[in-house]
């Protein structure tokens, strides 16, 4: 029995500490601020590769024409220049500018697709947290765990799968063009370059499409791993709730203290009231009216049961007139809050009570 008594709390504590709950929005936001987001590098690689080969497919002839123009100018014009430091500098600048104009659209497209691939995965995010130096990253034990972890095995299998699939695509494309490849030695250089460029673009486009499909699957896996790493235990959720909303016990004590303070302030207003209207035992409402300062009578205190008895004790001690009016007391308690003026529907009844009170005071 003693063992059973000890075994149950320990196991309950173990279950409470298991990371079985989904991460709260607060923890997800904290992880995002640290740069910890679900992102697949394969998406960027696939989109850059696909856009590059599509660019070559539609703009390849234009790029080839510019390259031929640059080479033609080199071999027809620059070869006749006198070799001087000035001419070499001018030649270098011209060739560099022409090469940049050819390559710039290609590089700009790759940059745009790289930014776009990250945006569609994680949206806009700028943080310097991953750049900070952390000593735990140099821990060899943690590094060894990462090498032999399940994630590392998945990455290895993913790389092997990509090699097998890309090799298969290349073999299939080249297999269909094997007859044309076999007679390349009998054709002109232009035909050779045309066939090689066509096959290269085809292989690249098919591989890029395949990698794009694999990148979607990899993104789903990365998202699953990311959410799994952010899982929380029930105790973690309770602790986070206490930090954000406050300890329920402390909040309860604060509310109790606030109620006590409000009750004391309300009781302090009873001596300033003109009349206390009672039920007579269940309700008590203290009414105050200052001609010239208030547009209508105001409820300065109200209560039921024990609070009503306390109000009547204070009213009796402070010589505040009390009047029994059950319907009016119930209506005032239900419709008017402390500090509010009496509504028009009850104004006539309250005015009659106040007029009677003023007559009593006048006689006294």
């Amino acid at each position: 029995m003693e063992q059973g008594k000890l075994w149950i709390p320990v196991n309950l504590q173990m279950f409470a500490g298991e990371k079985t709950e989904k991460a709260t929005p607060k923890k997800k936001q904290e992880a995002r601020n640290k740069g910890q987001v679900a992102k697949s590098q394969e998406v960027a690689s696939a989109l850059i590769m696909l856009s590059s080969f599509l660019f070559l497919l539609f703009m390849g002839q234009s790029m080839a024409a510019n390259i031929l123009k640059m080479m033609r100018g080199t071999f027809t014009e620059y070869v006749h220049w006198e070799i001087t430091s000035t001419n070499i500098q001018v030649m270098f600048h011209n060739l560099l500018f022409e090469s940049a104009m050819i390559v710039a659209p290609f590089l700009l497209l790759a940059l745009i697709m790289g930014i776009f691939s990250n945006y569609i995965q994680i949206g806009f995010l700028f943080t310097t947290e991953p750049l900070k130096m952390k000593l735990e990253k140099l821990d060899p034990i943690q590094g060894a765990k990462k090498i032999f972890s399940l994630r590392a095995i998945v990455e290895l299998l993913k790389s092997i799968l990509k090699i097998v699939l890309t090799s298969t695509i290349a073999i299939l494309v080249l297999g269909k063009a094997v007859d044309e490849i076999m007679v390349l030695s009998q054709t002109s250089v232009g035909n050779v370059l045309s066939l090689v460029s066509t096959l290269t673009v085809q292989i690249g486009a098919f591989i890029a499409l395949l990698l794009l499909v694999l990148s979607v699957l990899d993104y789903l896996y990365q998202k699953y791993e990311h959410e799994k790493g952010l899982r929380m235990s029930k105790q973690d959720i309770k602790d986070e709730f206490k930090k954000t909303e406050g300890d329920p016990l402390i909040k309860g004590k604060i509310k109790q203290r606030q109620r006590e303070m409000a009750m004391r302030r309300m009781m302090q207003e009873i001596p300033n009231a003109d009349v206390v209207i009672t039920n007579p035992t269940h309700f008590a409402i203290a009414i105050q009216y200052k001609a010239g300062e208030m547009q209508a009578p105001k409820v300065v205190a109200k209560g039921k049961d024990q609070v009503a008895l306390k109000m009547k004790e204070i009213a009796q001690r402070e010589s505040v007139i009390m009047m029994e009016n059950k319907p009016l007391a119930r209506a005032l308690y239900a419709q008017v809050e402390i500090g509010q003026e009496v509504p028009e529907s009850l104004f006539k009844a309250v005015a009659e009570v106040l007029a009677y009170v003023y007559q009593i005071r006048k006689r006294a």
Side-chain angles (χ1 to χ4, degrees):
M1 293 298 293
E2 294 296 329
Q3 291 180 354
K5 290 181 180 179
L6 294 174
W7 179 83
I8 293 175
V10 170
N11 281 273
L12 288 175
Q13 186 176 5
M14 290 175 61
F15 283 119
E18 290 183 355
K19 309 286 186 179
T20 57
E21 306 299 320
K22 289 184 178 180
T24 59
K26 182 176 182 297
K27 184 169 184 180
K28 289 182 179 179
Q29 186 60 40
E30 290 177 352
R32 180 179 175 83
N33 294 337
K34 295 178 181 178
Q36 299 174 3
V37 291
K39 185 178 70 171
S40 172
Q41 298 295 339
E42 305 297 331
V43 176
S45 303
L47 288 177
I48 291 173
M49 187 175 181
L50 180 61
S51 62
S52 299
F53 280 104
L54 290 177
F55 181 82
L56 290 176
L57 179 63
F58 293 103
M59 302 298 296
Q61 293 183 353
S62 177
M63 292 181 65
N66 292 331
I67 294 173
L68 289 174
K69 181 181 177 181
M70 183 179 65
M71 295 178 65
R72 189 178 295 112
T74 302
F75 290 108
T76 58
E77 181 180 356
Y78 294 150
V79 293
H80 300 294
W81 285 15
E82 184 180 354
I83 302 177
T84 62
S85 60
T86 303
N87 289 341
I88 292 175
Q89 186 177 5
V90 173
M91 185 189 309
F92 177 78
H93 287 166
N94 292 341
L95 292 175
L96 181 63
F97 178 76
E98 293 176 4
S99 302
M101 292 301 295
I102 295 172
V103 180
F106 190 80
L107 298 178
L108 180 62
L109 178 63
L111 176 63
I112 292 173
M113 295 308 297
I115 297 174
F116 175 73
S117 63
N118 283 276
Y119 179 78
I120 60 176
Q121 293 184 83
I122 62 175
F124 180 77
L125 175 63
F126 178 79
T127 177
T128 59
E129 190 69 22
L131 302 178
K132 293 182 179 180
M133 185 66 179
K134 296 181 180 179
L135 296 178
E136 56 265 22
K137 292 182 179 180
L138 303 178
D139 189 353
I141 298 177
Q142 296 296 330
K145 289 182 179 179
K146 290 181 180 180
I147 294 174
F148 299 101
S149 63
L150 178 61
R151 179 182 288 270
I153 296 174
V154 172
E155 293 295 329
L156 176 61
L157 295 176
K158 185 173 63 177
S159 300
I160 295 174
L161 179 63
K162 286 194 297 183
I163 293 173
V164 171
L165 294 177
T166 53
S167 301
T168 303
I169 290 175
I171 292 172
L172 291 176
V173 174
L174 294 176
K176 289 184 177 182
V178 66
D179 295 334
E180 299 178 14
I181 296 173
M182 296 301 294
V183 297
L184 283 179
S185 60
Q186 303 175 7
T187 60
S188 63
V189 176
N191 292 335
V192 173
L193 293 176
S194 177
L195 180 61
V196 170
S197 61
T198 301
L199 293 176
T200 302
V201 171
Q202 288 181 0
I203 293 173
F206 286 131
I207 291 176
L209 289 173
L210 173 65
L211 292 180
L212 185 61
V213 175
L214 294 178
S215 66
V216 174
L217 299 177
D218 183 64
Y219 172 74
L220 295 176
Y221 170 74
Q222 297 295 339
K223 187 175 181 180
Y224 167 76
E225 285 291 320
H226 176 70
E227 293 180 352
K228 182 180 178 181
L230 293 179
R231 284 180 184 174
M232 306 171 66
S233 65
K234 294 182 178 180
Q235 185 62 39
D236 293 336
I237 295 176
K238 291 180 180 179
D239 293 340
E240 181 183 290
F241 178 79
K242 289 180 180 180
K243 290 180 181 179
T244 54
E245 301 295 334
D247 192 332
L249 295 177
I250 297 177
K251 290 180 66 178
K253 291 181 180 179
I254 293 175
K255 289 182 178 180
Q256 182 181 358
R257 185 66 59 84
Q258 291 174 345
R259 286 194 296 268
E260 293 175 354
M261 293 176 62
M263 184 67 67
R264 284 197 295 270
R265 287 195 299 269
M266 185 183 71
M267 294 301 179
Q268 291 173 359
E269 292 293 330
I270 294 176
N272 301 324
D274 294 311
V275 63
V276 174
I277 303 173
T278 64
N279 190 31
T281 57
H282 295 293
F283 298 100
I285 294 90
I287 302 294
Q288 182 186 42
Y289 179 67
K290 294 181 179 180
E293 298 181 10
M294 298 180 181
Q295 296 181 355
K298 182 174 66 174
V299 174
V300 295
K302 72 174 187 176
K304 62 184 297 187
D305 299 333
Q306 296 297 327
V307 178
L309 293 176
K310 183 67 175 178
M311 290 176 61
K312 287 190 287 185
E313 291 178 3
I314 296 175
Q316 187 175 6
R317 185 175 66 245
E318 299 294 334
S319 300
V320 177
I321 298 174
M322 291 185 288
M323 289 190 61
E324 180 181 337
N325 190 324
K326 295 181 180 180
L328 182 59
R330 288 179 175 273
L332 288 171
Y333 186 87
Q335 299 181 27
V336 189
E337 297 297 329
I338 299 173
Q340 291 183 352
E341 294 181 348
V342 174
E344 294 182 3
S345 58
L346 301 176
F347 185 80
K348 183 178 180 180
V350 173
E352 292 176 354
V353 172
L354 290 175
Y356 180 73
V357 170
Y358 294 153
Q359 290 179 3
I360 294 176
R361 288 182 178 177
K362 189 176 180 180
R363 293 173 184 172

